[in-house]
Amino acid sequence: MQDVTTTAPDIPAARGALKALGPSSDGSRVTHIERVEARSGRTVPWPDWVPRQLRDAYGFEPWEHQATAGSLAHDGHHVVIATGTASGKSLAYQMPALSRLLDDPRATVLYLSPTKALAADQLRALTRLGLDGVRPATYDGDTPREQREWIRQHSRFVLTNPDMLHHALLPGHARWATFLRRLAYVVIDECHAYRGVFGSHVAHVLRRLRRLAAQYGGTPTFVLASATSGDPGDAATRLTGLPVTAVTEDASPRGAVTFALWEPPLLPHEDPDLPPTRRSALSETADLLTDAVVAGTRTLAFVRSRRGAEVVATMTRRSLDEAVPGLGERVAAYRAGYLKEDRRAIERALMTGELLALASTNALELGVDLVGLDAVLICGYPGTRASLWQQAGRAGRAGGEALAVLVARDDPLDTYLVHHPDALFGRPVEATVLDPANPYVLGPQLCCAAAEAPLRPADLDLFGAAEAVDALTRSGALRKRPTGWYWTRQGRPEVDLRGTGGTPVAVVESATGRLLGTVDQGSSHAMLHPGAVYLHQGASYLVDDLDLDEAVALVHAAEPDWSTHARDVTDLSVVSIREYVDAGPVGLFLGSVDVTSQVVSYQRRRLGSGEVLDTRPLDLPARELRTVAVWFTVSPQALHAAGVAPADVPGALHAAEHAGIGLLPLIATCDRWDIGGLSTANHVDTQSPTVFVYDGHPGGAGFAERAYGTASAWLRATREAVASCACETGCPSCVQSPKCGNGNNPLDKAKAIAVLDAVLTALPDAPPS
């Protein structure tokens, strides 16, 4: 939990706090200022077990929490250190790991991070220590094949990621037998990133690692590092399957942070009948970033999407070049999908000061030590308070004062937060949600384990998998023999840890054959459909062809004066009901559903004004998903009593669905794009007016369960967000959705409030059991 002091909105103070962003900053857009006070640190002497060579390499004494966590790990306890950004978590795991490597010339260490950038940053830090015999090396998808053999034979501190562990190291465990037998520590950095389906997969990858290490005689100690989270000890225990001790008392010093909440202004409409719209958060962020660069303020802007990061960088460069020709070259975009060489070049340029500003996706949120940044702009709420503080902590990492600004998108949750700062500040961050028992995760992971080594009876407890193994045996995927369960098929099981749907789609410039980048399968239908505008490092391209079988999209350079926005249709059927609450005229349900969705068309919208130029059809295959949903039903009689006429029901439920999806990230550790929804005036399976919200991952990700368990709080916040919005008929700040496949039609804001009132009146306040 952050140590903060709260102030009421103070426009003069806001202007003063934001003066570093330049004279064009408009304090009237600031809804709240939060001051996080500076804090001094507490050092302690080095523990006796730390070798002198390592103490001298660091050259300073550790903070108290570093020594506490390090000593627990040294004594063989599995430990998670969950403290604030820039609190020195790296030293907490480096201290015991490197001490062991220096004391035992045969020992090895495995380091796992969720991103390649973080592993590269850790490699730089380890190399700077100059310790003989450690031989740290990164082993990931960017590592040349000729180097991989040397790393396997000689590196004693291997830095990789769960994907590489899953696809290469564990399947090839016989070649890694010596490394696994000598494995002393497994370091899991930024473990709060392992949530939802990805986290559930990683939990089983770690169990597979434990099983194979034990097979070769290795008994590693697990050391985890996490941003501040709701229950780090429990989350780490679920992730590893081991008892984990949490260290949460942060003894590091911290510079003061001024945190501003910023709401873009409403735009005037020539037609008074049209709903009001706000200036886009992308435009506001680009203006603030421009002012920051002109003022010499080193700034990082976090943007929710890859496309958004490219747009902010492009707009900023254009504005800077108009003011000072050539200044735009000191701004760049950064996101996943860039080639390795491009990412490393951008990272170096920012660290050396060649670049003054970056517009980045959350690819730079985790751990990378960006020394010397003065300010952070957060374009849109990142989905969780943990991510918000993690991103804000990128500034002021050298201990100096820092500025963070959350720029609200025209979105129900963002609008709610900038007017309810108590929902952000002074509250604990969320617990990490993951479900290793998800059958869509457990079954494939058991197949992977059996392909690596036959499953023994003792392994069933490790994976929690007795029933799943029986089902896999009946299906023929596994065969039971006296020595265990064996994988029966040729090759290895195809399992995608990140739930992106398979092989990434390569984006290739058709005229030159140059590989521009990649897009995950899950996003390819919306981002790379024929006719889509694709942005890459400030340049725009039009997609000529999308070959899903070959996973290739062909593009050509172009500069259209319009953008593209995919539209889809969705159908949903109820498979089973797990739990329900009978609240008279209202029913609340949790269960399994089948969702069929298809991108069927796209809109072209004029840049700047957002005017819809036309809608063009698409012929793309449908996608099917079995997942977990929460849904509520309301009887027609209750709707009638609430003043919702039958003709108004579709618009009322549709608006309530949009708002509920927008506010769910306030309750669960999800992103709006992790979940989907459907509303209908009379669903065939419920025979009632119904609103569904479902997890957008096979088998579910834990978000629907969280919504079911906190339904009253979730729907009450939804109702308040809609009712408090200043618009009359509905706008993106309350009931319109940027991802609506029906073009936000029909929507009825007033009747949505009536529906939510009827639901809240009937539902008990206590969470369902």
Side-chain angles (χ1 to χ4, degrees):
M1 181 171 171
Q2 298 292 328
D3 178 21
V4 298
T5 57
T6 301
T7 63
D10 183 340
I11 301 308
R15 291 195 183 101
L18 297 174
K19 64 183 180 181
L21 292 176
S24 68
S25 296
D26 182 357
S28 65
R29 298 170 181 175
V30 175
T31 62
H32 184 81
I33 293 290
E34 197 81 13
R35 177 75 173 175
V36 183
E37 300 299 339
R39 178 185 66 204
S40 58
R42 301 190 306 275
T43 61
V44 295
W46 285 100
D48 294 339
W49 49 266
V50 178
R52 171 60 60 183
Q53 181 184 356
L54 186 56
R55 303 184 199 188
D56 293 343
Y58 283 116
F60 51 80
E61 289 190 323
W63 306 117
E64 185 178 62
H65 63 278
Q66 295 171 326
T68 300
S71 294
L72 284 167
H74 174 264
D75 293 341
H77 300 285
H78 309 293
V79 61
V80 57
I81 180 167
T83 51
T85 308
S87 59
K89 292 186 284 290
S90 297
L91 180 61
Y93 56 73
Q94 288 175 4
M95 187 191 307
L98 293 175
S99 294
R100 179 65 177 273
L101 295 184
L102 293 173
D103 290 340
D104 179 358
R106 297 167 62 84
T108 59
V109 172
L110 182 68
Y111 167 96
L112 299 173
S113 73
T115 66
K116 295 176 184 177
L118 180 52
D121 186 69
Q122 285 295 305
L123 178 63
R124 286 191 289 266
L126 291 169
T127 302
R128 283 195 297 267
L129 293 174
L131 300 172
D132 292 334
V134 173
R135 299 186 292 276
T138 55
Y139 186 82
D140 57 33
D142 292 336
T143 305
R145 294 202 170 273
E146 59 271 17
Q147 293 181 18
R148 295 185 183 186
E149 182 66 17
W150 183 93
I151 292 169
R152 184 180 61 78
Q153 292 184 356
H154 301 291
S155 176
R156 300 176 59 220
F157 199 125
V158 173
L159 301 101
T160 187
N161 51 60
D163 309 82
M164 200 68 177
L165 183 62
H166 163 66
H167 287 295
L169 196 150
L170 295 180
H173 60 86
R175 297 190 300 275
W176 290 84
T178 301
F179 183 91
L180 292 171
R181 182 169 58 252
R182 299 172 177 177
L183 189 59
Y185 288 98
V186 176
V187 176
I188 306 174
D189 207 355
E190 305 288 4
C191 66
H192 63 281
Y194 302 122
R195 62 178 179 83
V197 169
F198 180 40
S200 303
H201 273 296
V202 172
H204 287 295
V205 171
L206 295 178
R207 286 160 175 77
R208 287 160 51 199
L209 171 64
R210 289 173 50 204
R211 182 176 80 116
L212 292 174
Q215 177 177 304
Y216 291 107
T219 56
T221 299
F222 283 73
V223 188
L224 302 92
S226 171
T228 306
S229 66
D231 192 349
D234 179 65
T237 294
R238 280 185 286 118
L239 184 64
T240 62
L242 296 164
V244 179
T245 303
V247 175
T248 58
E249 185 68 27
D250 192 339
S252 65
R254 181 185 60 204
V257 179
T258 298
F259 208 130
L261 304 183
W262 182 288
E263 185 174 41
L266 288 169
L267 296 175
H269 258 312
E270 294 182 3
D271 185 349
D273 295 330
L274 291 175
T277 57
R278 292 194 179 275
R279 190 166 187 258
S280 79
L282 296 177
S283 298
E284 290 284 288
T285 302
D287 284 355
L288 292 173
L289 195 59
T290 299
D291 292 342
V293 173
V294 170
T297 305
R298 298 186 64 186
T299 306
L300 177 61
F302 283 105
V303 189
R304 295 287 300 271
S305 68
R306 296 179 179 187
R307 180 190 182 90
E310 296 280 4
V311 168
V312 168
T314 299
M315 295 171 69
T316 303
R317 284 195 291 259
R318 185 179 298 133
S319 297
L320 288 170
D321 284 335
E322 289 174 358
V324 181
L327 190 56
E329 295 178 2
R330 303 195 69 183
V331 177
Y334 185 100
R335 60 172 175 80
Y338 282 179
L339 302 180
K340 171 189 174 182
E341 296 76 14
D342 295 335
R343 294 197 307 270
R344 299 295 175 263
I346 293 170
E347 292 164 17
R348 286 193 300 270
L350 183 66
M351 292 176 183
T352 60
E354 180 183 344
L355 288 174
L356 267 178
L358 275 187
S360 172
T361 61
N362 62 0
L364 284 179
E365 176 183 321
L366 300 177
V368 179
D369 192 8
L370 304 174
V371 177
L373 291 179
D374 305 305
V376 165
L377 307 175
I378 303 171
C379 181
Y381 182 60
T384 65
R385 289 183 291 274
S387 287
L388 182 76
W389 286 108
Q390 189 79 359
Q391 292 182 5
R394 296 299 95 183
R397 290 177 68 87
E401 290 210 13
L403 175 66
V405 183
L406 171 61
V407 181
R409 293 171 301 153
D410 211 356
D411 171 273
L413 180 55
D414 286 38
T415 303
Y416 179 87
L417 291 174
V418 295
H419 292 287
H420 295 80
D422 56 320
L424 287 178
F425 303 112
R427 294 183 60 177
V429 299
E430 306 84 354
T432 303
V433 176
L434 63 119
D435 180 18
N438 180 337
Y440 285 80
V441 172
L442 178 56
Q445 286 291 335
L446 287 171
C447 292
C448 290
E452 291 157 2
L455 291 170
R456 313 296 185 193
D459 297 330
L460 304 189
D461 290 335
L462 173 65
F463 290 99
E467 292 184 6
V469 166
D470 289 342
L472 291 168
T473 304
R474 289 194 299 271
S475 72
L478 300 182
R479 179 178 296 121
K480 187 177 182 181
R481 294 176 176 171
T483 52
W485 287 266
Y486 287 75
W487 172 243
T488 61
R489 298 171 185 171
Q490 293 294 322
R492 295 187 59 249
E494 290 292 331
V495 178
D496 177 12
L497 298 189
R498 297 180 187 259
T500 54
T503 305
V505 177
V507 183
V508 177
E509 188 174 26
S510 53
T512 63
R514 180 168 65 105
L515 176 65
L516 298 178
T518 60
V519 172
D520 63 85
Q521 280 273 352
S523 303
S524 62
H525 287 211
M527 292 183 63
L528 295 175
H529 60 76
V533 176
Y534 175 78
L535 298 176
H536 180 76
Q537 292 189 347
S540 60
Y541 299 82
L542 280 179
V543 178
D544 300 315
D545 181 58
L546 172 61
D547 187 332
L548 292 171
D549 293 331
E550 297 297 327
V552 173
L554 298 178
V555 303
H556 70 272
E559 293 188 8
D561 61 353
W562 37 265
S563 59
T564 52
H565 303 265
R567 303 179 67 183
D568 62 4
V569 295
T570 301
D571 189 27
L572 181 149
S573 60
V574 175
V575 177
S576 63
I577 296 172
R578 295 188 195 174
E579 302 177 45
Y580 71 94
V581 174
D582 184 350
V586 171
L588 178 70
F589 300 84
L590 177 72
S592 297
V593 297
D594 281 336
V595 181
T596 302
S597 61
Q598 184 177 19
V599 174
V600 296
S601 63
Y602 67 98
Q603 288 183 339
R604 297 192 308 157
R605 301 179 190 172
R606 192 175 303 281
L607 294 177
S609 69
E611 173 193 358
V612 176
L613 300 176
D614 57 22
T615 299
R616 301 188 173 191
L618 290 169
D619 182 20
L620 291 170
R623 286 176 162 165
E624 296 182 355
L625 171 73
R626 177 161 292 185
T627 186
V628 179
V630 58
W631 66 94
F632 64 79
T633 60
V634 190
S635 71
Q637 295 80 6
L639 291 176
H640 178 75
V644 183
D648 299 328
V649 171
L653 296 180
H654 194 197
E657 172 216 327
H658 282 183
I661 290 173
L663 268 291
L664 185 55
L666 188 66
I667 303 297
T669 52
C670 65
D671 181 272
R672 182 175 193 146
W673 302 91
D674 286 328
I675 50 182
L678 180 75
S679 59
T680 174
N682 186 31
H683 192 270
V684 64
D685 293 327
T686 67
Q687 296 296 303
S688 298
T690 310
V691 171
F692 294 89
V693 175
Y694 58 85
D695 293 351
H697 300 275
F703 308 136
E705 284 95 333
R706 180 71 173 158
Y708 178 80
T710 59
S712 293
W714 165 43
L715 295 176
R716 189 168 290 109
T718 301
R719 191 265 180 208
E720 184 176 350
V722 176
S724 62
C725 185
C727 74
E728 293 184 10
T729 60
C731 68
S733 295
C734 57
V735 299
Q736 292 182 1
S737 169
K739 52 185 283 193
C740 180
N742 294 320
N744 287 296
N745 184 52
L747 292 175
D748 191 324
K749 173 185 175 180
K751 300 304 182 183
I753 296 172
V755 168
L756 291 167
D757 282 339
V759 173
L760 289 166
T761 299
L763 276 182
D765 286 336
S769 60

